[in-house]
C-alpha cells in the first residue's frame, strides 16, 4: 500500500469532521473518494498533506508515518496536492507558476522526465499552457487554470497526486480532456487519489472508490461494484432505481 490512512480523526479546532476514516491507495492505482457536499472530502485531502492535523489515527506513505510532518516535508516525500479552487498565483505568468512548483520538487535523481525537462513534460501534456506561458494565470479560462494547477503539481515529480474536485466549474469537454490526461499519467506509473462530487466521471476512471458521508467511510470497493450498487446509482449517479 503506497498510502494508508488508519482510523483518522481530524477537523477544525473543536469541530471534528473526519471520524475513524480508513482508506488506502496502492502503487499504480487511481482511487476515487465520492460523496455529497459537506462530507469531509476536502478536509481529508488537507489532512493527508499536513494542512490539518490528525487528532487520532495515522497516515503512512510508503511505509513511513507522515501525519506528524509539516506540509513541505510531506511534499518532499513525493505527494503533490491540487487544491479545490486551484490556488494559482493570478498575477504571475503560467511559466512563473510552474517554476514555483519546481522550487519544491523532490529531486530523486538527475534524470529528466521521459528524456525531457519537466517544463517540456508539462507542456507536452497541456499544449495550451505552452501557448499561454507568458500570460498571467488570472487571465486564463477555467479549464486552462485547472491544467496549470495540475501542471504545477507535476513539476514536483510526485509519486502520488491528490486532486480535490478537479472537475468543479468546468464544461464536459474540458473535464473529459483533463481526465484523459490523468489516465495517461496513471498508465505512466503515477498513483492518483481524487475526490469528486461528480461521482460518475470519477468512477469511470478509478480502479477503486470510497464513499464518504458526514466524515465517515460508508462504502468502498472496486468501482464496477459501486457503479452497480443501487444506493450509489440513486444517490450519486442520478439514476432512478425501482
Amino acid at each position: 500500500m503506497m498510502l494508508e490512512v488508519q482510523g483518522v480523526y481530524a477537523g477544525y479546532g473543536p469541530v471534528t469532521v473526519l471520524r475513524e476514516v480508513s482508506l488506502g491507495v496502492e502503487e499504480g492505482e487511481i482511487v476515487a473518494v465520492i460523496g455529497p457536499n459537506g462530507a469531509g472530502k476536502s478536509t481529508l485531502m488537507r489532512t493527508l498533506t499536513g494542512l490539518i492535523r490528525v487528532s487520532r489515527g495515522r497516515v503512512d506513505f510508503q511505509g513511513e508515518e507522515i501525519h506528524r510532518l509539516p506540509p513541505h516535508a510531506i511534499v518532499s516525500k513525493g505527494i503533490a496536492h491540487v487544491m479545490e479552487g486551484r490556488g494559482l498565483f493570478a498575477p504571475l505568468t503560467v511559466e512563473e507558476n510552474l517554476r514555483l512548483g519546481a522550487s519544491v520538487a523532490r529531486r530523486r535523481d538527475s534524470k529528466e522526465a521521459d528524456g525531457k525537462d519537466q517544463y517540456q513534460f508539462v507542456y507536452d501534456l497541456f499544449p495550451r499552457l505552452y501557448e499561454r506561458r507568458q500570460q498571467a494565470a488570472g487571465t486564463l479560462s477555467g479549464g486552462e487554470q485547472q491544467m496549470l494547477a495540475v501542471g504545477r503539481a507535476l513539476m514536483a515529480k510526485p509519486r502520488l497526486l491528490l486532486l480535490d474536485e478537479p472537475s468543479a466549474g468546468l464544461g464536459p469537454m474540458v473535464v473529459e480532456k483533463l481526465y484523459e490526461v490523468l489516465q495517461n499519467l496513471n498508465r505512466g506509473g503515477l498513483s492518483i487519489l481524487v475526490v469528486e462530487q461528480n461521482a460518475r466521471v470519477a468512477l469511470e476512471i478509478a480502479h477503486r472508490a470510497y464513499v464518504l458521508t458526514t466524515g465517515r467511510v460508508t462504502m468502498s470497493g472496486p468501482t464496477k461494484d459501486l457503479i452497480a450498487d443501487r444506493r450509489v446509482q440513486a444517490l450519486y449517479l442520478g439514476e432512478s432505481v425501482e
Side-chain angles (χ1 to χ4, degrees):
M1 196 69 74
M2 173 176 273
L3 177 74
E4 190 167 10
V5 181
Q6 305 173 50
V8 161
Y9 289 72
Y12 304 89
V15 179
T16 299
V17 177
L18 303 178
R19 292 175 170 82
E20 204 172 355
V21 170
S22 296
L23 57 83
V25 180
E26 294 184 9
E27 191 162 354
E29 272 194 316
I30 300 177
V31 174
V33 178
I34 64 172
N37 276 335
K41 301 187 301 297
S42 293
T43 300
L44 170 65
M45 299 299 255
R46 293 171 66 85
T47 300
L48 297 180
T49 49
L51 297 171
I52 295 174
R53 307 305 296 173
V54 171
S55 57
R56 286 171 56 187
R58 63 182 288 158
V59 180
D60 290 358
F61 181 65
Q62 295 189 314
E64 180 182 353
E65 183 180 285
I66 63 168
H67 63 272
R68 293 187 175 89
L69 298 177
H72 72 272
I74 293 175
V75 171
S76 75
K77 298 292 182 184
I79 298 177
H81 181 189
V82 180
M83 301 180 70
E84 184 179 15
R86 302 166 191 137
L88 300 174
F89 294 90
L92 301 184
T93 66
V94 166
E95 197 148 292
E96 287 168 337
N97 271 272
L98 292 178
R99 190 176 304 135
L100 289 171
S103 71
V104 296
R106 182 180 188 275
R107 306 190 185 283
R108 288 184 290 272
D109 54 45
S110 60
K111 295 180 181 178
E112 298 174 341
D114 296 331
K116 307 169 185 177
D117 68 25
Q118 201 68 359
Y119 288 97
Q120 191 61 49
F121 176 70
V122 170
Y123 289 144
D124 285 348
L125 285 175
F126 301 114
R128 187 69 61 85
L129 294 184
Y130 181 76
E131 298 170 8
R132 305 281 195 269
R133 63 191 183 279
Q134 298 305 322
Q135 188 171 323
T139 66
L140 301 177
S141 70
E144 291 165 347
Q145 288 186 13
Q146 190 62 274
M147 293 175 195
L148 179 55
V150 173
R152 185 178 62 182
L154 294 174
M155 293 297 294
K157 301 181 181 179
R159 291 190 172 110
L160 175 64
L161 180 64
L162 309 183
L163 296 122
D164 190 352
E165 302 285 2
S167 72
L170 304 181
M173 292 183 64
V174 177
V175 172
E176 182 180 353
K177 176 61 178 175
L178 176 63
Y179 270 86
E180 180 182 321
V181 169
L182 295 177
Q183 284 182 294
N184 288 336
L185 287 167
N186 175 250
R187 292 186 189 106
L190 181 64
S191 302
I192 298 172
L193 177 65
V194 56
V195 304
E196 268 283 11
Q197 190 173 0
N198 187 339
R200 185 176 296 278
V201 69
L203 293 177
E204 283 176 354
I205 72 158
H207 301 100
R208 293 186 302 109
Y210 296 84
V211 178
L212 195 66
T213 309
T214 60
R216 296 180 184 272
V217 173
T218 54
M219 297 178 66
S220 64
T223 50
K224 60 181 178 61
D225 293 344
L226 292 181
I227 290 172
D229 189 281
R230 286 173 172 263
R231 292 166 295 175
V232 173
Q233 291 172 4
L235 293 172
Y236 303 110
L237 301 181
E239 299 179 8
S240 61
V241 178
E242 298 180 357

